[in-house]
Amino acid sequence: MNTAGIAFSVLQGLAYVLLAPLLLGWVGKVKATLQNRRGAGVLQPARNVYKLLGKETRVAHTASPLFRITPYVVFVATLLAAAIVPLLATNLPSAAVADIIVVAGLLGLARFFLALAGMDVGTAFGGMGASREMMVSSFAEPALLMAVFTLAWSAHSTNLAGIIDHQLSDARLLPSMLFALASLVLVAVAETGRIPVDNPSTHLELTMIHEAMILEYSGRHLALLEWAAQIRLMLYGALIANIFFPWGIATRPSLLALAMGMAAIVGKLLILGAGLALSETVAAKMRFFKTPIFLSLAFLLALIGLLSHVILESGG
Amino acid sequence: MNAMWTLAGGSLVLALASALSGLAATERRPALLRQLSLPLFTLAGLAALVGGLWVLGTRATGTLQLPLGLPWLPWRLHLDALSGFFLALIGLLSIAVGIYGRGYVREFENGRDSLPALGFFSGLFLFSMLLVVLAGGALVFMVAWELMTLSSYFLVAFQHEQAANRRGAFLYLLMGQMGGVFILLAFGVLASFAGSFSFAAMRSIHLPGVWASIAFVLAFIGFGMKAGLVPVHTWLPEAHPAAPSHISALMSGVMLKVAVYGFLRVIFDLLGPSHWQWGVVVLVIGSISALLGVLLALMQNDLKRLLAYSSTENLGIIFIGLGLSMIFIGTGHAVLGVLALLAALYHTLNHTLFKGLLFMGAGAILHSTHERDLDQMGGLLRRMPWTGWFFLIGSISISGLPPLNGFVSEWLTFQAALQAWHLENGLLRALIPLAAVALALTGALAAACFVKVYGIAFLGRARSRHVRRAHQVPMSMRIGQGLLAALCVAAGLLPASIITLLGGVPWQLLGTGLSPADAQSWLWLTPISKTAASYSAPLVLMALLLLFAATVIFLRRGAVRRVRRSDPWDGGFAPPTPRMQYTAAAFAQPLRRVFAPLLQVEEHVTKSPDGSPRYRLQVTDRTIDLLYTPWVRAMDRITRYIARLQGGHLRAYLGWTLGALVLLLWMVLL
């Protein structure tokens, strides 16, 4: 583990922190354009976070200390999970520290604390959000693991860098990858709280999931939670972009390769973000009790992908 | 060599001493239980822990012949790495339970419950568990096994005024005895071929295929019953909640592990895990147990019952690892078999730590509020902060989240499952990923389950008056919990060191082990190779802490520092009351709806006499209706016929006796 590698890892982590609000802003801007609105600028989510950081923080009387440490735990765990997912380059020490199972675990840790914080204040909304969030994740998390295992199976590695290297050296379009991709897209939509599973721009009690859990937060706590949500969106974007379409990612830690990798990932994320905006424009929010159908679809697609890969594609 | 036996023998003697001194804790000297019996209990645990670690560290083996028994049927004790590991495990939890118990039993001192019984059977229970893992032959094993079942039966029936406890205890005794019969039959098969009851003789012979499979099935049913695997788990959620909480911790934390020990001893050591088909059976049963266990746990509102169902889940995960190991060994991939076996052993250790911790937490709540129903709790984190934070560590661990210990064993099991591409058999290649799916689903549902437990019990606002008056538990109970919580963290952070320590078990059973990947082996967990998968728990924790510090420092600048307290948002209506909070049943409702086909859910809304509607919800285990009720009905019918023999007429009885005698004479003379 050399110094340059660590420096590049930190750089990649910073890229997540700084670019994540812009990605969300881009999705919002494209969505507004598609809906014939002018919409807020691409910088709006970043401005929101900045504004919230300067505001006074209020905490309910009934809240326990756990409520106050949760924003930090959520932010830190999400950021570390993101730092493990290769964004610009593959051979970084941050990717060797842990693999995709750890990424899923860290996201699970963040979700665990967020759900607990939702139940901490003792209002009905928080419990509702926590209950729904855990239901969604009960399907989404296994589906995420299955989708990645489909690729890990032939790469013989669960390290994301190893999977990406294998994809780069042995690029073949297999049917199972389409299943895995479809599943991962559905999981990403569910886990980042987007339409049709959740609607990030509503506070209507019947439909809230993520917003219901963070309803009691304000000031810098809320800023951290919103920032973490943005990083999670970018994490899923980078995961989909880089393990299914790894072209352009830097395999050597040189500045030129990194610049190329940056251009490539920005391009890929812009396309994915536009796709998300398009799907959110044409699809409507689903009734909450219909979401298990959506989620079990993601789960079954991942399962079909894994089994078809294991049985049909990886010959003896 | 001698030190090893001194420690192991010392733990047995101390456990017996604890039992006998407990017997003296009569109404006149109730404090004797606390001041003598339980410290002896802790010392017995300490001796067992040190002895077990000694054996694991030095990889010594030895046999000791006791001056006891018939000349042709000697009582032999045997110590090797496998028994050393389980000896250490029992010792570890007994230390914590002994300390914790000192605070916990205090409230029984003024009650009507019989303290001598509690002290005597607790010590005897520990003694018999230690003796099971030390047994060097089937005779000692079976005697100790039955002693373990009986002594724990009396502990389950400790508070026998309540009908539910009596019922649970009886079911436990019934199923414990049935399991004992299966194990006895398995040993019978082995002993009849070996011509001796000693494990050494059984190990040296090679059973013909059919008889080996028969022995496997008998042993798996017998030990599976004790381990609480589906579908023979039904005693577990009845019996574990009935016992006093420190005994529940012991039963769930180590007695189920003694069943795992028996399985390993008979299948891996004596029979030799040579058939992958056996592994398939174990894998399937393990996956079903894990999934059904966690689903049923999620539906429970009684905290201790929920924890009991969660034991079924975790034993299922252990048996997934064991099944994988048997498949790999049976198909000739010994190193992968070692990996899966280590995953199972690691989870065995983890489950002992966190389930012991969680049962102690449940006991602390029970001690402080006399409440087991989650829907009456709330806000306990602020009233019992120590218990609350320790329970949080246990909840994160059991949910399999990094950087704590539950994650490590799940990670290892996943890694073992993902090595299935080495196999040629198409059935296995498809089956093992399905087990991995079951494991992933189980992990996610377990997280949901423990969010529910923690969120309802420790967070929010108190839902009843006595919970609002909850108070801190005594220091000894906090120390007991703190010890296990610290070990959960340590086992999560130093996986590579622990795996090195556990390495002796696969060396002994399979004759091979894992090679450490590089020089910094304590830092990196790389079970297969550096490129395949690596996880560095210390670095992950370090990164988390560094990022945490950076975030705090970053936020310190510029922002308004002060945090103001205010009322929660009331939606513009009346201020929220504690009754408006989500309940345990409400929390599980979305998942209950999704998984309704697998469970038996009964929902009723009835009118109560004063006209207000009453909602009643009952979620029961389908296996009882599907598998047990037909048997019970058949048994009823048969016994009714047999009962006709007993007409109350002496002449009829004499007639039956005469008939039996004539029949026997005829058989003998023929």
Side-chain angles (χ1 to χ4, degrees):
Chain A
M1 202 188 297
N2 50 3
T3 341
I6 294 175
F8 281 127
S9 299
V10 172
L11 197 71
Q12 181 176 296
L14 273 180
Y16 269 108
V17 173
L18 298 176
L19 293 183
L22 299 182
L23 177 64
L24 187 67
W26 164 254
V27 173
K29 186 73 188 171
V30 175
K31 203 170 156 186
T33 313
L34 286 171
Q35 294 170 349
N36 287 328
R37 291 185 285 119
R38 198 191 294 151
V42 176
L43 283 174
Q44 191 54 43
R47 282 197 212 106
N48 277 349
V49 167
Y50 184 74
K51 176 192 74 183
L52 285 170
L53 281 175
K55 287 219 164 211
E56 186 191 45
T57 306
R58 285 187 146 201
V59 170
H61 290 300
T62 46
S64 72
L66 188 127
F67 186 81
R68 292 180 63 170
I69 63 165
T70 293
Y72 297 92
V73 174
V74 170
F75 183 75
V76 166
T78 312
L79 184 54
L80 185 60
I84 296 169
V85 177
L87 184 71
L88 310 172
T90 58
N91 290 318
L92 292 184
S94 58
V97 166
D99 63 357
I100 179 65
I101 307 174
V102 181
V103 173
L106 285 169
L107 291 176
L109 184 72
R111 188 188 309 117
F112 191 86
F113 271 86
L114 196 59
L116 285 183
M119 301 176 80
D120 193 20
V121 175
T123 58
F125 284 126
M128 186 183 76
S131 159
R132 292 176 172 187
E133 173 79 8
M134 295 320 284
M135 195 278 268
V136 169
S137 72
S138 299
F139 289 92
E141 196 188 294
L144 164 71
L145 285 176
M146 289 311 109
V148 183
F149 285 171
T150 308
L151 300 170
W153 189 274
S154 45
H156 298 172
S157 168
T158 52
N159 271 18
L160 284 165
I163 293 174
I164 292 172
D165 282 340
H166 180 261
Q167 292 282 85
L168 278 174
S169 65
D170 183 22
R172 276 184 304 169
L173 183 66
L174 298 170
S176 67
M177 281 169 60
L178 291 179
F179 285 113
L181 175 63
S183 165
L184 202 55
V185 168
L186 296 187
V187 167
V189 167
E191 286 277 73
T192 53
R194 310 297 302 191
I195 290 173
V197 175
D198 191 6
N199 188 350
S201 55
T202 182
H203 282 109
L204 193 65
E205 60 209 62
L206 293 176
T207 59
M208 281 193 292
I209 300 178
H210 183 258
E211 293 298 315
M213 288 189 292
I214 62 171
L215 202 57
E216 289 294 329
Y217 277 110
S218 58
R220 59 173 182 273
H221 290 162
L222 185 58
L224 280 178
L225 290 174
E226 295 214 329
W227 211 344
Q230 292 158 5
I231 293 173
R232 195 169 53 202
L233 181 68
M234 184 154 160
L235 183 159
Y236 274 99
L239 192 64
I240 292 172
N242 278 340
I243 68 174
F244 288 101
F245 316 101
W247 303 286
I249 194 165
T251 47
R252 286 167 293 110
S254 74
L255 278 179
L256 181 69
L258 276 188
M260 284 274 292
M262 188 65 159
I265 191 67
V266 167
K268 285 184 253 181
L269 286 178
L270 286 181
I271 295 171
L272 279 177
L276 179 62
L278 184 66
S279 87
E280 290 208 321
T281 307
V282 296
K285 164 87 178 68
M286 216 179 250
R287 231 191 115 206
F288 177 71
F289 282 109
K290 294 262 191 240
T291 52
I293 300 171
F294 178 90
L295 293 165
S296 43
L297 178 68
F299 186 75
L300 284 178
L301 280 174
L303 192 60
I304 292 170
L306 184 60
L307 285 183
S308 63
H309 182 71
V310 168
I311 297 171
L312 302 177
E313 291 164 5
S314 55
Chain B
M1 190 70 188
N2 271 330
M4 176 173 103
W5 281 111
T6 315
L7 286 165
S11 68
L12 286 174
V13 171
L14 283 166
L16 264 188
S18 162
L20 292 176
S21 60
L23 211 50
T26 49
E27 275 170 39
R28 263 193 285 154
R29 297 182 298 272
L32 210 58
L33 179 62
R34 208 152 30 86
Q35 284 160 358
L36 186 62
S37 179
L38 281 169
L40 283 171
F41 193 90
T42 307
L43 281 179
L46 194 63
L49 174 66
V50 176
L53 287 180
W54 181 299
V55 175
L56 268 181
T58 59
R59 303 194 177 176
T61 56
T63 308
L64 186 75
Q65 180 124 1
L66 294 184
L68 199 69
L70 300 171
W72 51 274
L73 198 58
W75 285 58
R76 252 194 221 114
L77 300 185
H78 179 74
L79 252 180
D80 52 22
L82 179 62
S83 39
F85 169 64
F86 283 90
L87 197 64
L89 214 58
I90 297 171
L92 193 62
L93 194 61
S94 304
I95 296 172
V97 164
I99 299 170
Y100 174 92
R102 279 168 58 86
Y104 190 76
V105 299
R106 191 184 277 254
E107 68 169 339
F108 294 129
E109 283 177 9
N110 306 318
R112 287 176 303 150
D113 302 309
S114 157
L115 279 188
L118 181 62
F120 179 66
F121 287 114
S122 301
L124 203 60
F125 183 40
L126 178 59
F127 172 78
S128 56
M129 285 196 293
L130 292 171
L131 194 59
V132 170
V133 298
L134 287 174
L139 176 72
V140 183
F141 187 97
M142 281 318 294
V143 169
W145 185 270
E146 293 295 327
L147 198 60
M148 181 174 88
T149 305
L150 282 176
S151 55
S152 51
Y153 161 75
F154 285 106
L155 292 169
V156 171
F158 175 59
Q159 285 167 320
H160 52 80
E161 301 85 41
Q162 291 164 29
N165 291 356
R166 286 200 300 274
R167 188 172 163 267
F170 177 69
L171 187 63
Y172 170 54
L173 187 65
L174 192 69
M175 294 191 69
Q177 290 302 316
M178 271 169 64
V181 170
F182 279 106
I183 297 167
L184 191 64
L185 289 175
F187 278 133
V189 173
L190 277 162
S192 62
F193 279 92
S196 158
F197 284 107
S198 84
F199 285 160
M202 290 179 186
R203 197 176 295 129
S204 61
I205 51 134
H206 188 78
L207 283 185
V210 182
W211 283 105
S213 290
I214 291 175
F216 161 75
V217 170
L218 289 170
F220 187 41
I221 296 177
F223 291 119
M225 265 188 171
K226 200 59 156 189
L229 295 181
V230 171
V232 282
H233 64 288
T234 37
W235 63 271
L236 207 146
E238 306 294 331
H240 283 203
S245 297
H246 63 299
I247 301 298
S248 308
L250 216 51
M251 285 179 75
S252 216
V254 288
M255 191 183 75
L256 303 183
K257 307 305 148 38
V258 173
V260 175
Y261 164 80
F263 182 84
L264 281 170
R265 178 62 79 195
V266 173
I267 308 294
F268 278 70
D269 190 20
L270 303 183
L271 278 173
S274 47
H275 299 273
W276 60 263
Q277 292 89 338
W278 300 352
V280 171
V281 176
V282 175
L283 186 70
V284 170
I285 295 284
S287 308
I288 295 174
S289 302
L291 258 181
L292 208 59
V294 72
L295 275 179
L296 285 164
L298 195 57
M299 299 306 146
Q300 304 305 314
N301 294 342
D302 178 328
L303 180 52
K304 286 181 79 175
R305 217 177 141 84
L306 183 150
L307 291 176
Y309 270 119
S310 145
S311 293
T312 292
E313 172 220 330
N314 281 287
L315 266 291
I317 295 177
I318 293 172
F319 276 86
I320 289 178
L322 294 179
L324 282 175
S325 175
M326 292 165 76
I327 289 175
F328 283 132
I329 294 164
T331 50
H333 299 90
V335 178
L336 298 178
V338 171
L339 172 65
L341 179 62
L342 281 173
L345 291 176
Y346 210 112
H347 200 73
T348 307
L349 167 70
N350 287 343
H351 183 242
T352 299
L353 295 176
F354 54 61
K355 192 49 68 69
L357 173 60
L358 292 172
F359 262 116
M360 286 182 182
I365 298 176
L366 198 59
H367 181 88
S368 167
T369 66
H370 297 279
E371 190 58 73
R372 269 165 43 181
D373 185 1
L374 280 173
D375 282 339
Q376 304 294 321
M377 297 179 193
L380 286 171
L381 178 59
R382 273 177 300 154
R383 292 176 179 84
M384 309 166 67
W386 287 99
T387 302
W389 291 112
F390 292 147
F391 203 93
L392 182 65
I393 290 177
S395 300
I396 296 176
S397 293
I398 201 170
S399 306
L401 297 173
L404 295 184
N405 59 352
F407 178 74
V408 178
S409 45
E410 279 190 27
W411 189 84
L412 284 170
T413 315
F414 273 129
Q415 293 300 346
L418 284 176
Q419 296 307 310
W421 58 269
H422 284 288
L423 302 173
E424 267 104 55
N425 188 327
L427 171 73
L428 294 179
R429 291 170 73 115
L431 189 74
I432 292 176
L434 281 178
V437 173
L439 184 63
L441 203 54
T442 304
L445 288 168
C449 180
F450 281 88
V451 165
K452 162 179 145 165
V453 170
Y454 200 79
I456 301 283
F458 285 94
L459 305 176
R461 294 158 71 189
R463 290 174 176 79
S464 60
R465 194 185 297 157
H466 49 280
V467 170
R468 202 172 303 131
R469 293 210 198 104
H471 52 82
Q472 196 69 268
V473 290
M475 182 58 100
S476 56
M477 288 172 76
R478 277 181 268 158
I479 293 175
Q481 295 174 65
L483 185 66
L484 291 181
L487 285 170
C488 277
V489 176
L493 288 186
L494 299 169
S497 312
I498 289 176
I499 283 184
T500 314
L501 190 64
L502 295 181
V505 181
W507 266 111
Q508 179 216 329
L509 292 179
L510 309 170
T512 175
L514 291 179
S515 51
D518 59 24
Q520 286 173 309
S521 56
W522 67 273
L523 192 61
W524 291 95
L525 192 56
T526 48
I528 306 125
S529 75
K530 190 114 194 181
T531 51
S534 53
Y535 168 54
S536 170
L539 285 181
V540 165
L541 184 80
M542 204 179 73
L544 281 175
L545 292 178
L546 276 178
L547 285 174
F548 189 82
T551 313
V552 171
I553 291 168
F554 172 70
L555 288 189
R556 203 171 263 277
R557 300 185 309 118
V560 183
R561 286 285 306 137
R562 212 161 52 87
V563 170
R564 193 140 63 98
R565 291 275 178 174
S566 57
D567 289 329
W569 188 63
D570 54 12
F573 297 101
T577 68
R579 281 182 56 82
M580 287 183 191
Q581 299 175 92
Y582 252 47
T583 59
F587 187 91
Q589 193 258 3
L591 283 165
R592 192 164 63 233
R593 241 173 118 134
V594 177
F595 288 103
L598 292 177
L599 309 161
Q600 195 173 325
V601 183
E602 287 171 40
E603 281 179 291
H604 304 285
V605 179
T606 49
K607 279 260 166 69
S608 68
D610 60 346
S612 60
R614 291 263 159 205
Y615 173 73
R616 211 170 60 82
L617 170 74
Q618 200 172 11
V619 182
T620 39
D621 206 336
R622 275 206 110 133
T623 46
I624 295 176
D625 267 8
L626 286 177
L627 295 174
Y628 290 78
T629 320
W631 277 102
V632 171
R633 233 176 261 143
M635 286 295 280
D636 260 357
R637 211 170 304 137
I638 294 167
T639 44
R640 211 168 299 136
Y641 284 115
I642 295 174
R644 284 191 194 163
L645 299 181
Q646 196 178 20
H649 300 289
L650 190 60
R651 58 176 190 275
Y653 297 162
L654 285 174
W656 285 113
T657 315
L658 183 68
L661 194 65
V662 169
L663 188 72
L664 284 175
L665 280 173
W666 178 67
M667 277 168 71
V668 170
L669 292 176
L670 211 65

